[in-house]
Amino acid sequence: VGSDNIAIGHRSMFNSYSGFRNIAVGKDAMFNSNTGDVNIAIGTGSLFQNNGRSYQVAIGDSTLFHNSQGFGDPSQAQGNTAVGSKSI
């Protein structure tokens, strides 16, 4: 189980198991972000699929929704900032 996390909203951080210092605000925010650390997701579905990625800032509806999909190397898709509906 992660530590120092804040989740506000229906199913926010629903499948988050070991991440720490994350903030998720909104329905389904960081829904499948089970191992990422030090992330901020504000908005419905923001950082929805963010497995194993850290240092993300997503503000807006569905921002960085599929962030970790298609990247095999954990060092990829990290340190992003996205603002606006469905950005990145």
Side-chain angles (χ1 to χ4, degrees):
V1 177
S3 62
D4 300 324
N5 294 312
I6 297 170
I8 300 170
H10 181 66
R11 299 188 319 174
S12 63
M13 289 189 180
F14 187 78
N15 289 320
S16 296
Y17 303 111
S18 64
F20 70 95
R21 295 186 182 143
N22 293 301
I23 299 171
V25 179
K27 181 183 180 290
D28 294 334
M30 294 184 69
F31 182 86
N32 281 323
S33 298
N34 56 14
T35 60
D37 302 321
V38 194
N39 295 300
I40 299 171
I42 301 172
T44 299
S46 56
L47 284 176
F48 188 87
Q49 299 273 2
N50 189 56
N51 295 324
R53 302 310 192 255
S54 300
Y55 308 107
Q56 311 288 351
V57 177
I59 301 172
D61 170 54
S62 301
T63 51
L64 290 168
F65 189 86
H66 289 294
N67 187 57
S68 63
Q69 300 300 303
F71 294 99
D73 184 348
S75 67
Q76 295 175 318
Q78 298 211 81
N80 292 308
T81 299
V83 179
S85 179
K86 297 170 185 62
S87 57
I88 306 185

